[in-house]
Amino acid sequence: MEPVMLRTARLELSVPEAADADAVLAACQDPEIPRYTSVPSPFARADADQLIAKAHAGWASGEHLVWAIRDAGALVGIVGLYRVDGRGSGELGYWLAAPARGRGLLTEAARTVLDWGFAPSGAGLHRIEWHAVVGNDASARVAQALGFRFEGVRRDALIGEAGRVDGWAAALLQADDRTPQVWPSPHG
């Protein structure tokens, strides 16, 4: 599959390029990113290069569709549809550099990716899942704002820098209305 560029009122979403490696490296020095995502810690320049190479390979296979979130041309984060299985399912994942947080950029970018992911002219997905380490409240707030329905806590389901950890699970169906959600007890 060829990479797709998406735009919002403030952002451009495009495949990460080699020129983005320094921005990826700088962002991933924030301890919150490896704490809550699968990026390695410590995060080196070779890891940034590998992340970018995997993004291109993911588009080629159609399995991992990754966009750089660009604000005024600068990479400020990553958003993607991962584990796209060809049967109508995928998983939304994201991170945002610390200086870009608190302005709604991630919610804006992720909403645009969901729109494309569910569109018949896009990925044509039926179900998009979201998973996060229990305690990643910032990620949960974004998922709630996007309309994800909380499905529960999966014990020792995620593997991070601290080993196996419990994970929150939520999902959004193509037919869901995507109104913001209030989850019953996300701290399970």
Side-chain angles (χ1 to χ4, degrees), residues 1-2 55 58-67 79-84 113 116 123 125:
M1 171 182 289
E2 287 296 316
W59 276 100
S61 71
E63 186 178 351
H64 302 295
L65 312 176
V66 178
W67 289 267
V79 62
L81 292 171
Y82 300 90
R83 291 177 265 299
V84 176
V113 167
W116 182 87
L125 299 177

Side-chain angles (χ1 to χ4, degrees), residues 7 38 50 53 74 85 100 106 110 123 130 142 146 149 180:
R7 292 186 188 279
S38 60
Q50 185 176 30
D85 65 9
L106 188 51
W130 166 89
V142 171
L146 294 169
R149 278 37 174 204

Side-chain angles (χ1 to χ4, degrees), residues 6-188:
L6 302 172
R7 292 186 188 279
T8 74
R10 299 182 287 176
L11 305 171
E12 176 186 289
L13 308 178
S14 59
V15 67
E17 298 293 347
D20 296 318
D22 288 340
V24 170
L25 176 63
C28 290
Q29 300 311 302
D30 174 3
E32 294 299 296
I33 292 177
R35 177 178 175 200
Y36 290 127
T37 71
S38 60
V39 303
S41 178
F43 191 88
R45 172 59 188 251
D47 298 312
D49 294 335
Q50 185 176 30
L51 182 148
I52 292 164
K54 283 184 176 182
H56 285 266
W59 276 100
S61 71
E63 186 178 351
H64 302 295
L65 312 176
V66 178
W67 289 267
I69 302 169
R70 299 180 193 285
D71 180 24
L75 182 144
V76 296
I78 295 288
V79 62
L81 292 171
Y82 300 90
R83 291 177 265 299
V84 176
D85 65 9
R87 297 176 306 202
S89 296
E91 178 182 338
L92 181 69
Y94 42 75
W95 57 258
L96 198 64
R101 295 178 191 151
R103 296 187 291 141
L105 299 177
L106 188 51
T107 302
E108 183 177 327
R111 184 174 287 117
T112 302
V113 167
L114 290 173
D115 290 345
W116 182 87
F118 285 130
S121 60
L125 299 177
H126 172 76
R127 175 184 168 90
I128 298 176
E129 296 182 2
W130 166 89
H131 302 274
V133 172
V134 169
N136 188 347
D137 295 326
S139 185
R141 283 191 298 276
V142 171
Q144 289 175 49
L146 294 169
F148 277 83
R149 278 37 174 204
F150 187 70
E151 295 184 337
V153 175
R154 299 172 59 224
R155 298 177 308 131
D156 280 353
L158 302 177
I159 300 172
E161 66 177 357
R164 286 197 166 274
V165 295
D166 292 350
W168 287 326
L172 189 60
L173 303 180
Q174 189 276 334
D176 287 341
D177 62 18
R178 292 206 244 162
T179 57
Q181 300 293 299
V182 176
W183 292 346
S185 178
H187 288 282

